[in-house]
Amino acid sequence: IFNQKKRNFFIMFSNDNQGEVWHDQAPKIRVVIRKRPLNKKEMNKNDPDIIDVRGPQTVVVREMKAKVDLTKYIEEHNFNFDAAFDETMNNQALYLSCVQPLVDAAFHGAKVTCFAYG
């Protein structure tokens, strides 16, 4: 189902389905993110890795800023998701963890959508 290209974001939707046990236990919308590794161009330019996955649900984006006196500092922005995976997560494990339950639910009559971006 998945090609070898790494996907960055998985957003999963599940519509209401009366009497479906799977659906009653799952959230209606799940947002799952996987950090991508730096690409060759970014590595050749020595670009810093500004994304950090901290724990199973948190991603931190580090933003370089400058104060009024031009002193540089890094501001961290925390984002929480239903699940967050680092760049070492492979497609197979991600599929088994996040997508296969949707496929199983679809075969049991649930209305589902999986949107992958990246």
Side-chain angles (χ1 to χ4, degrees), residues 88-117:
T88 64
M89 172 63 82
N90 66 44
N91 288 344
Q92 179 75 18
L94 186 65
Y95 173 82
L96 292 172
S97 172
C98 299
V99 180
Q100 187 174 19
L102 289 177
V103 173
D104 292 342
F107 281 115
H108 288 96
K111 298 174 188 170
V112 301
T113 301
C114 178
F115 174 77
Y117 173 80

Side-chain angles (χ1 to χ4, degrees), residues 5-106:
K5 182 180 176 184
K6 288 195 171 189
R7 301 282 182 205
N8 296 333
F9 296 91
F10 285 89
I11 302 175
M12 289 165 243
F13 303 91
S14 176
N15 294 331
D16 194 29
N17 189 26
Q18 295 110 6
E20 186 64 45
V21 174
W22 176 88
H23 180 75
D24 291 341
Q25 297 173 353
K28 291 191 183 228
I29 297 176
R30 289 190 67 213
V31 180
V32 179
I33 186 170
R34 176 174 58 181
K35 175 189 171 189
R36 70 166 177 82
L38 292 177
N39 61 36
K40 288 180 184 179
K41 182 179 178 182
E42 293 164 333
M43 289 190 297
N44 289 339
K45 289 174 37 181
N46 290 324
D47 285 345
D49 191 352
I50 63 167
I51 306 292
D52 189 25
V53 177
R54 292 192 186 156
Q57 295 179 310
T58 303
V59 173
V60 176
V61 178
R62 291 183 299 279
E63 180 183 12
M64 180 64 78
K65 292 197 161 196
K67 295 181 181 180
V68 177
D69 66 359
L70 301 180
T71 304
K72 292 183 179 184
Y73 70 100
I74 297 173
E75 185 174 334
E76 290 190 347
H77 305 279
N78 292 291
F79 298 94
N80 292 314
F81 299 92
D82 293 301
F85 301 102
D86 65 16
E87 65 274 17
T88 64
M89 172 63 82
N90 66 44
N91 288 344
Q92 179 75 18
L94 186 65
Y95 173 82
L96 292 172
S97 172
C98 299
V99 180
Q100 187 174 19
L102 289 177
V103 173
D104 292 342

